[in-house]
Amino acid sequence: MLHFDIQEFDSPDEKGSGSRMQPSTLQMLNDARGIAGIPFKINSGFRTKSHNAYVGGKKLSSHLYGYAVDIHCTDSRGRAIIIDALRKAGFTRFGIGNTFIHTDNDPDKDQDVMWLY
C-alpha cells in the first residue's frame, strides 16, 4: 500500500520533479509511514539546484539527488514516533530542527548520525 503521492516530493520550482526521488528512499519512507501509523507531511523532497540555493541548502545536499526528505514535525511525541518508524524502515541519518526532521539514505554520506539544526 502506498502512503504518499509522488507530487509531495516535487521541488516547488519544478512540477513533476518528485519523480527524481530515489526508489530506495521512497520505499523506506513508505514503510516508515506504515509503521508510524500517522501522516507525514513532506516539507522538502527533491530539490533543484536553484531551489536548494534559495533555501540555503548545502552544495552537495542529498535533496539534490533524491535521497532526502524533510518531514514536518513540531512536537516531541510526533518526533519520537516518526524517528522510531524511520529507524525501523532502515534510515540511519537524521537532522532534527524545531519544525522538521531531515532523513536521508544517501550512500555517499556517513551513516548512523544525528545532528541538530
Side-chain angles (χ1 to χ4, degrees), residues 14-111:
E14 187 179 318
K15 186 175 175 144
S17 59
S19 66
R20 291 158 60 187
M21 290 292 295
Q22 296 293 327
S24 61
T25 306
L26 293 176
Q27 183 60 59
M28 290 167 66
L29 188 61
N30 190 62
D31 292 347
R33 282 177 161 172
I35 292 165
I38 62 171
F40 289 10
K41 180 180 184 271
I42 304 300
N43 288 346
S44 185
F46 179 81
R47 291 183 191 158
T48 62
K49 285 183 181 180
S50 59
H51 184 67
N52 191 60
Y54 175 76
V55 299
K58 294 191 181 263
K59 185 178 179 184
L60 297 176
S61 171
S62 299
H63 288 277
L64 296 167
Y65 307 100
Y67 283 111
V69 295
D70 293 345
I71 302 165
H72 178 79
C73 185
T74 57
D75 66 277
S76 60
R77 177 144 341 268
R79 192 173 292 115
I81 291 168
I82 292 169
I83 290 172
D84 182 59
L86 291 168
R87 279 189 162 294
K88 286 177 179 173
F91 287 101
T92 64
R93 295 178 44 80
F94 304 95
I96 311 301
N98 288 334
T99 60
F100 69 97
I101 299 166
H102 167 98
T103 193
D104 70 72
N105 65 324
D106 191 328
D108 296 326
K109 305 265 175 83
D110 287 339
Q111 302 299 306

